[in-house]
Amino acid sequence: MTQRHAGGIEIDNAPGQGATPQVKPPRSLHILCIDDDLRVRELMNSCLTHYKHRVMLASGGKQGLELFRTATLENQPYEVIITDFGMPDMDGRRVARTIKTESPNTPIIMMTGKGTITNQGGEMAPAVDVVVGKPPHMQELNDLILRITTPAPPRP
């Protein structure tokens, strides 16, 4: 049940005392999904809202950048951007570079059905934090989203 609802259980106990399970509530993130394929957008919306995320959909790179900028101006920035690699109006690399220029700390996940996406030197484009294949496994994608948006613990 905890997997289905993206929760977790922590057990805090000491010798001679009972264990008290504490269920972690799922985190709800503001996510922008950019993909030119309607079926992919519908799948992403359905699955990510299942995990209680607030999802906005864009049908291409230009619309995605407009939504990104509007949300930023309204002080409701997206916490994660998921973009398709290949789109007709503006490809995912250009979307990622533009967003990273305007908001360097916003995590960007690139989805592709083409395998790995690397530059001529064999390295992933610096504007992209993670590349996932299409179609993504939704539990793994949700875990990835939660992991890349979790702030690093403070250093002692």
Side-chain angles (χ1 to χ4, degrees):
M1 183 177 216
T2 56
Q3 274 186 330
R4 183 175 39 178
H5 295 286
I9 297 175
E10 289 186 7
I11 300 175
D12 183 16
N13 67 343
Q17 297 180 3
T20 307
Q22 299 172 348
V23 177
K24 289 183 180 180
R27 286 179 28 229
S28 175
L29 299 172
H30 195 204
I31 300 174
L32 174 61
C33 293
I34 308 168
D35 201 298
D36 60 320
D37 187 328
L38 175 62
R39 294 170 301 186
V40 172
R41 288 193 311 272
E42 289 174 346
L43 172 70
M44 297 297 288
N45 187 54
S46 175
C47 292
L48 292 173
T49 56
H50 167 78
Y51 291 108
K52 308 298 184 217
H53 298 299
R54 295 163 288 135
V55 180
M56 180 61 72
L57 304 172
S59 61
K62 290 179 183 178
Q63 182 187 27
L65 286 178
E66 289 173 16
L67 291 170
F68 173 80
R69 289 174 175 149
T70 299
T72 301
L73 287 172
E74 294 175 352
N75 204 26
Q76 297 180 353
Y78 294 102
E79 296 166 276
V80 179
I81 309 297
I82 301 172
T83 184
D84 186 21
F85 172 68
M87 296 179 286
D89 67 336
M90 180 185 293
D91 74 18
R93 284 185 191 191
R94 187 166 164 205
V95 169
R97 279 193 309 267
T98 304
I99 289 173
K100 283 293 189 179
T101 298
E102 296 177 19
S103 180
N105 295 324
T106 300
I108 299 176
I109 298 171
M110 177 89 59
M111 290 193 312
T112 181
K114 301 179 191 303
T116 59
I117 304 170
T118 57
N119 63 19
Q120 291 178 345
E123 297 174 349
M124 188 170 60
V128 176
D129 295 284
V130 181
V131 175
V132 297
K134 271 185 170 180
H137 181 273
M138 285 301 149
Q139 178 66 53
E140 291 173 7
L141 180 62
N142 185 62
D143 292 346
L144 173 65
I145 289 167
L146 295 175
R147 189 170 56 253
I148 67 174
T149 58
T150 300
R155 293 183 178 182

